[in-house]
């Protein structure tokens, strides 16, 4: 299967009564338009790893993810696009017993899948594990889960090329935080950033993120997790339907719907006062396949 990626990332204006009332302009940077199943932020996080592959004498790429991982699928897509052989190491046997749509997409993109017990997967960042993997595949470039690490950060920083000077506030969903750190670190002096953590008790991320951002104007909002990572409520799902119907803007329930809900709530309660806001739509729409009413 050949892959067709749209690498032009545009902005679109979000219309809402509340915004008109408050005199606020809200725009989305549409990293989701890259491809129906590839997350735009993952593409940026992979860019520098791909460049390293191309400069070096590697023969394949290996990376890690769960059975619904946006990162695995983005890696499979990027490798297909650049004609690089790749392997995905999958957490747990769930996807092996009953293949998920995500993993099927990975296979369709020629990623070879290996399934690991959850216990073994938990050791994947340990030196012993990496060394053994490297012994088995001496020519492999091993990319950390989620495309994190300094090269992931460097790639994410390039999202700033699409942020105009008029923008005062950038909003972005936070998983590992790599995307947010990359963007926030590269902001201009007059700009600030809010990261919306999508897991429960997200404030533990504060310190780790602090260490990676030299720009002073950013904060985390940790109250919009809707019960935890990949958890959702009927209200959140109804919100996704409404935004799709009224704005023709598709949102994934794991990241972007939670961010936008948070942004509108903070505007309604005057905790966001900036007039020019840019939300980074990171994509992740393939994840909606796991919710029947959101399948397309
Ligand atoms: C992975 C992902 C994120 C979070 O990115 P991090 O760099 O891990 O914080 C946000 N949105 C989507 C759609 C993702 O797939």
């Amino acid at each position: 299967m050949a892959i067709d990626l749209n690498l032009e990332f545009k902005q679109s204006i979000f219309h809402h009564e509340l915004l008109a009332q408050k005199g606020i302009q809200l725009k989305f940077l549409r990293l989701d338009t890259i491809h129906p199943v590839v997350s735009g932020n993952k593409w940026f996080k992979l860019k520098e790893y791909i460049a390293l592959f191309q400069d070096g004498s590697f023969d394949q790429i290996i990376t890690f993810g769960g059975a619904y991982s946006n990162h695995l699928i983005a890696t499979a897509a990027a490798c297909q696009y650049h004609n690089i052989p790749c392997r995905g190491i999958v957490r747990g046997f769930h996807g092996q017993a009953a293949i998920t749509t995500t993993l099927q997409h990975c296979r369709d993109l020629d990623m070879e899948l290996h399934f690991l017990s959850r216990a073994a997967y938990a050791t994947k960042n340990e030196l012993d594990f990496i060394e053994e993997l490297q012994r088995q595949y001496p020519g492999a470039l091993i990319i950390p889960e989620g495309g994190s690490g300094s090269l992931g950060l460097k790639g994410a920083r390039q999202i700033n090329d699409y942020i105009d000077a008029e923008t005062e506030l950038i909003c972005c969903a936070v998983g590992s935080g790599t995307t947010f750190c990359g963007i926030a670190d590269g902001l201009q002096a007059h700009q600030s950033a809010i990261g919306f953590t999508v897991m429960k008790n997200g404030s533990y991320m504060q310190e780790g993120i602090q260490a990676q951002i030299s720009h002073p104007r950013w904060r985390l909002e940790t109250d919009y997790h809707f019960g935890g990572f990949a958890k959702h409520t009927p209200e959140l799902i109804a919100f996704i339907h409404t935004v799709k119907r009224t704005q023709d803007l598709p949102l994934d329930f794991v990241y972007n719907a939670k961010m936008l809900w948070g942004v509108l709530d903070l505007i309604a309660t005057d905790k966001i006062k900036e007039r020019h806001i840019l939300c980074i739509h990171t994509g992740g729409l393939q994840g909606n396949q796991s919710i029947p009413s959101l399948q397309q």
Side-chain angles (χ1 to χ4, degrees):
M1 181 169 112
I3 187 149
D4 196 13
L5 297 176
N6 166 29
L7 297 174
E8 275 183 45
F9 303 105
K10 299 219 164 87
Q11 297 186 358
S12 66
I13 295 184
F14 187 82
H15 300 279
H16 195 283
E17 214 174 292
L18 173 69
L19 301 169
Q21 232 174 59
K22 303 270 183 190
I24 289 175
Q25 186 191 57
L26 180 67
K27 293 193 287 190
F28 271 88
L29 176 60
R30 300 290 304 274
L31 304 185
D32 61 306
T33 58
I34 181 172
H35 185 273
V37 302
V38 178
S39 297
N41 71 317
K42 297 295 189 289
W43 174 260
F44 278 92
K45 290 204 283 182
L46 285 166
K47 272 178 101 165
E48 295 295 324
Y49 286 105
I50 300 283
L52 175 65
F53 180 95
Q54 288 169 334
D55 286 349
S57 48
F58 301 100
D59 60 15
Q60 62 183 293
I61 280 176
I62 302 182
T63 195
F64 312 88
Y68 300 94
S69 165
N70 288 335
H71 165 69
L72 269 190
I73 215 167
T75 305
C79 287
Q80 163 85 246
Y81 187 78
H82 292 289
N83 221 345
I84 300 171
C86 69
R87 274 170 218 283
I89 298 182
V90 184
R91 180 182 66 229
F93 297 109
H94 160 67
Q96 188 173 37
I99 191 115
T100 58
T101 312
T102 305
L103 294 178
Q104 188 57 51
H105 278 310
C106 290
R107 273 202 180 134
D108 292 345
L109 291 163
D110 295 331
M111 176 178 261
E112 196 165 317
L113 300 178
H114 299 257
F115 295 85
L116 266 194
S117 71
R118 283 175 178 264
Y121 188 90
T123 68
K124 69 184 182 309
N125 295 327
E126 289 171 16
L127 200 57
D128 282 356
F129 183 93
I130 299 288
E131 279 177 358
E132 179 51 34
L133 190 62
Q134 199 76 75
R135 244 192 311 274
Q136 223 176 331
Y137 303 103
L141 170 62
I142 301 172
I143 301 180
E145 186 180 44
S148 54
S150 60
L151 288 180
L153 207 58
K154 189 173 169 200
R157 229 171 181 281
Q158 295 168 31
I159 296 172
N160 286 43
D161 296 348
Y162 300 86
I163 300 176
D164 43 331
E166 185 192 51
T167 301
E168 296 167 278
L169 173 68
I170 284 87
C171 295
C172 178
V174 170
S176 70
T178 308
T179 305
F180 179 72
C181 288
I183 296 173
D185 195 46
L187 291 179
Q188 301 178 34
H190 70 281
Q191 297 174 322
S192 55
I194 302 179
F196 292 82
T197 54
V198 299
M199 72 298 284
K200 219 182 229 170
N201 304 321
S203 51
Y204 79 90
M205 298 200 66
Q206 180 76 23
E207 230 174 290
I209 288 181
Q210 184 99 54
Q212 299 182 70
I213 305 180
S214 52
H215 187 78
R217 304 179 59 188
W218 62 273
R219 71 179 198 262
L220 294 181
E221 289 289 345
T222 58
D223 286 342
Y224 300 102
H225 54 74
F226 290 81
F229 185 75
K231 297 280 194 294
H232 51 89
T233 63
E235 290 77 17
L236 186 71
I237 303 301
F239 175 67
I240 293 174
H241 283 295
T242 305
V243 171
K244 175 84 175 99
R245 195 181 59 243
T246 58
Q247 312 260 347
D248 198 26
L249 182 72
L251 296 171
D252 76 299
F253 75 96
V254 181
Y255 295 101
N256 291 286
K258 293 179 182 182
M259 169 194 60
L260 180 59
W261 181 299
V263 170
L264 294 177
D265 188 51
L266 293 171
I267 290 174
T269 51
D270 292 322
K271 289 180 194 126
I272 286 180
K273 294 207 166 79
E274 284 85 349
R275 293 301 170 97
H276 292 278
I277 304 172
L278 184 67
C279 291
I280 312 298
H281 194 319
T282 46
L285 296 166
Q286 65 95 17
N288 284 353
Q289 292 296 329
S290 66
I291 296 190
S293 82
L294 296 179
Q295 286 171 6
Q296 299 187 337

